[in-house]
Amino acid sequence: MNRTLMNIIRFVLLVITQVLIVNHIRLGGYVHPYIYLIFVMLLPINMPGWQLLLSGFGIGLVIDLFMGTLGMHAGATTLMAFCRPAIIRIVSGSQKFENIREPNVNQLGFAWFLRYSLCMVFVHNFTLFMLEGFSFHLVGQALLRILISVPVSLFLILSILYLFSSTNKKKQHS
């Protein structure tokens, strides 16, 4: 399947899932999981910076439109997209990506992908919750939301990627 078409389908499915299902997971007002981050995380490694930023802004803006959050997701996701090349360099060290098109668990290993995902989700959630609070009085509450939401988001993201990567492996072996 064409990479562009696959990314468009991924975009639509993640937005629909985030808006219709995941946004309704609110345990005590502190758990706010975000799976739409998968879209930016799985974009091609060699994607030009302007396309990466535009993609991050685009999915964040669409989420903002559905949630009525006035650009907070767009800002957080754009910053996450901006930090992505640096996060990949930091997490990878001296590892080279000659035959790898997009960062994924199958090609880069679980430990690498866990570190990468943790950094990406943390950057997004930290930015989002700090923008949302936008007050020194609410820093404690924002930090609590970050500490609780990052692991929940990370668990959901890794679970979704595992489910879909295992079905892809089964299809390839058949």
Side-chain angles (χ1 to χ4, degrees):
M1 184 184 298
N2 183 356
R3 288 270 171 218
T4 305
L5 180 60
M6 190 172 78
N7 281 329
I8 291 170
I9 292 169
R10 186 182 291 155
F11 181 99
V12 170
L13 290 176
L14 285 169
V15 167
I16 289 170
T17 305
Q18 180 70 48
V19 170
L20 296 179
I21 299 170
V22 180
N23 281 351
H24 299 289
I25 300 173
R26 305 250 184 212
L27 303 173
Y30 289 100
V31 177
H32 302 275
Y34 298 109
I35 62 160
Y36 75 91
L37 307 178
I38 294 171
F39 176 74
V40 175
M41 292 168 57
L42 295 184
L43 288 171
I45 289 177
N46 60 354
M47 178 178 263
W50 68 271
Q51 286 180 339
L52 187 60
L53 291 174
L54 194 59
S55 298
F57 177 76
I59 196 161
L61 184 63
V62 170
I63 295 296
D64 281 328
L65 290 173
F66 281 108
M67 294 182 68
T69 49
L70 302 172
M72 288 187 286
H73 286 273
T77 313
T78 304
L79 181 64
M80 184 182 81
F82 177 78
C83 293
R84 182 177 178 249
I87 290 171
I88 289 174
R89 276 193 307 275
I90 291 167
V91 169
S92 300
S94 61
Q95 185 176 2
K96 300 293 180 205
F97 299 111
E98 295 163 3
N99 298 328
I100 299 172
R101 290 188 213 169
E102 64 184 32
N104 63 45
V105 179
N106 297 334
Q107 294 179 341
L108 295 168
F110 182 77
W112 184 94
F113 198 81
L114 179 64
R115 290 189 308 267
Y116 168 69
S117 300
L118 179 63
C119 292
M120 294 287 282
V121 172
F122 180 79
V123 166
H124 174 271
N125 283 5
F126 182 84
T127 306
L128 179 68
F129 294 138
M130 288 302 178
L131 283 173
E132 211 173 73
F134 212 67
S135 167
F136 288 117
H137 295 97
L138 299 176
V139 168
Q141 183 181 10
L143 291 175
L144 181 61
R145 290 170 67 193
I146 292 165
L147 287 173
I148 295 172
S149 294
V150 166
V152 173
S153 292
L154 195 59
F155 174 76
L156 286 174
I157 287 169
L158 293 174
S159 298
I160 289 167
L161 292 175
Y162 177 74
L163 286 172
F164 284 101
S165 69
S166 63
T167 57
N168 286 340
K169 281 183 186 177
K170 289 175 189 171
K171 286 179 186 175
Q172 289 172 357
H173 293 298
S174 298

